[in-house]
Amino acid sequence: MTTIKDIAVSAGVSSATVSRILNNDNTLNVSPETRQKVLDTANSLNYKKKSRTSAKSAFTLGIVLWFSPQQELEDNYYLLIRQGIEDFCMQNCIHVVRTYKADINYMDSLKNVDALVCVGKFTEDAVQRFYEITSSVIFLDMPIDDLDISTITLDFEHAMKTSMDYLTSLGHRRIGFLGGKEYLDNHQLFPDMRKTLFIEYCKKHNIEYEPYIREQAIAIEAGYHMMNDLLKLDVLPTAVVSSSDPIAIGALHALTDKGFRVPEDISLMGFDDTSLSAFTTPPLTTIHAPAYDMGNFGANIVFNILKHQPATALKIKLPCKLMERQSCGKPL
């Protein structure tokens, strides 16, 4: 059986340091790298802490990411979620096993985790497989109707109402929507609540929208191509809502290339409030999505699910807020 001394020798630190790290002693003055090295060593040596209680002070959290590392680099919304998770784990001496769904046999790396944070969109079969690994699971950015499954999502209802109320208050009555299609492993299209809510709002308030909806991918290139397609119409929208900042940034490039002024000719609104949105020309009006907080809260919650095993799952919606910049104005 692995002992604290074995871990200390392998990690190159004292037994006292190992003990305090494994007991989650945040007063210990060591670097985050040393903490993680001790936790990694304990995990690799299959160390099992002796305890009279069921709660664990140090455990392994699996992070499952439904996108690829390349997609994460292109859209920092999911990067911020992951950073929120990993910062909580670093602060609380939690060992992390990170895997991307695009990895070969990604489930194999999760066999010995104590809890899971699943980020993105997953099929029902995948959800079932996660629960076969551990009952301590939370899903981020994916609404699930099952009342026994904990989720954290964005409040799209309020976010889209805020977007559309803002544009209509400026006088816009022809509004377009640029969206990105997302598919599950079984090739099923995952419905975009933003598009659904956009259409509902337009119908309720007699906004002209039907000629102005385009959908491709959540990428800058897709936004560029979708906006170019819209610009072929004889009658253009006076404003366009995008389902992500990368799409809006691509659309902005298309408008600039074709000689259109933003917002004088067409107003443009994004969604997410990524780091680039404040530095476009003009700066992008967008909806701030608290991605980092979603990740941080998710790790905190699943940590407590593991310790306390509550009978009731949590369904949390995080509020989003309007970031008013210079890409929206009154129609001419």
Side-chain angles (χ1 to χ4, degrees), residues 74-116:
E74 292 173 354
D75 184 352
N76 74 348
Y77 171 73
Y78 284 116
L79 175 62
L80 287 171
I81 293 177
R82 177 168 68 79
Q83 288 177 338
I85 299 169
E86 294 182 349
D87 282 356
F88 177 86
C89 292
M90 182 68 72
Q91 293 160 7
N92 291 276
C93 306
I94 297 170
H95 176 65
V96 169
V97 173
R98 183 204 312 159
T99 183
Y100 294 88
K101 197 179 66 174
D103 295 344
I104 298 174
N105 299 322
Y106 75 96
M107 284 283 190
D108 292 344
S109 61
L110 302 172
K111 289 180 179 178
N112 297 316
V113 302
D114 298 295
L116 279 171

Side-chain angles (χ1 to χ4, degrees), residues 51-57 59 114 305-309:
S51 177
R52 294 182 179 273
T53 67
S54 59
K56 296 184 179 181
S57 57
F59 70 96
D114 298 295
I305 290 174
L306 178 66
K307 289 196 298 183
H308 304 298
Q309 292 297 316

Side-chain angles (χ1 to χ4, degrees), residues 73-246:
L73 288 174
E74 292 173 354
D75 184 352
N76 74 348
Y77 171 73
Y78 284 116
L79 175 62
L80 287 171
I81 293 177
R82 177 168 68 79
Q83 288 177 338
I85 299 169
E86 294 182 349
D87 282 356
F88 177 86
C89 292
M90 182 68 72
Q91 293 160 7
N92 291 276
C93 306
I94 297 170
H95 176 65
V96 169
V97 173
R98 183 204 312 159
T99 183
Y100 294 88
K101 197 179 66 174
D103 295 344
I104 298 174
N105 299 322
Y106 75 96
M107 284 283 190
D108 292 344
S109 61
L110 302 172
K111 289 180 179 178
N112 297 316
V113 302
D114 298 295
L116 279 171
V117 178
C118 304
V119 184
K121 315 299 191 300
F122 301 93
T123 63
E124 291 183 8
D125 288 344
V127 172
Q128 181 61 39
R129 291 176 68 190
F130 295 143
Y131 272 90
E132 290 172 359
I133 295 172
T134 174
S135 60
S136 301
V137 186
I138 192 166
F139 290 86
L140 308 185
D141 200 47
M142 178 180 175
I144 299 177
D145 291 335
D146 191 325
L147 297 179
D148 294 324
I149 297 178
S150 293
T151 61
I152 303 180
T153 56
L154 300 177
D155 187 350
F156 284 132
E157 292 87 349
H158 185 264
M160 289 307 298
K161 184 178 185 303
T162 298
S163 298
M164 298 300 287
D165 282 350
Y166 176 67
L167 290 175
T168 55
S169 73
L170 293 174
H172 294 283
R173 307 300 298 177
R174 296 194 309 275
I175 303 176
F177 179 87
L178 304 182
K181 294 182 178 180
E182 296 179 311
Y183 293 90
L184 303 178
D185 283 347
N186 58 7
H187 306 295
Q188 178 184 351
L189 178 65
F190 195 88
D192 186 349
M193 281 297 296
R194 284 163 290 200
K195 176 188 173 184
T196 300
L197 292 163
F198 168 81
I199 293 173
E200 289 177 357
Y201 186 99
C202 289
K203 288 180 176 179
K204 181 178 179 180
H205 295 87
N206 297 315
I207 304 298
E208 186 178 355
Y209 73 94
E210 289 182 287
Y212 310 126
I213 291 181
R214 299 292 186 274
E215 289 182 283
Q216 287 188 19
I218 301 177
I220 291 176
E221 295 83 357
Y224 185 88
H225 294 308
M226 286 188 284
M227 180 56 78
N228 272 330
D229 191 51
L230 275 183
L231 295 178
K232 296 175 183 177
L233 297 173
D234 292 331
V235 179
L236 299 179
T238 61
V240 173
V241 175
S242 303
S243 66
S244 77
D245 282 355

Side-chain angles (χ1 to χ4, degrees), residues 2-13 18 22 38 41-42 45 47:
T2 301
T3 65
I4 285 178
K5 184 177 180 180
D6 296 330
I7 299 170
V9 171
S10 182
V13 298
V18 172
L22 295 180
V38 169
T41 302
L45 295 176
Y47 173 75

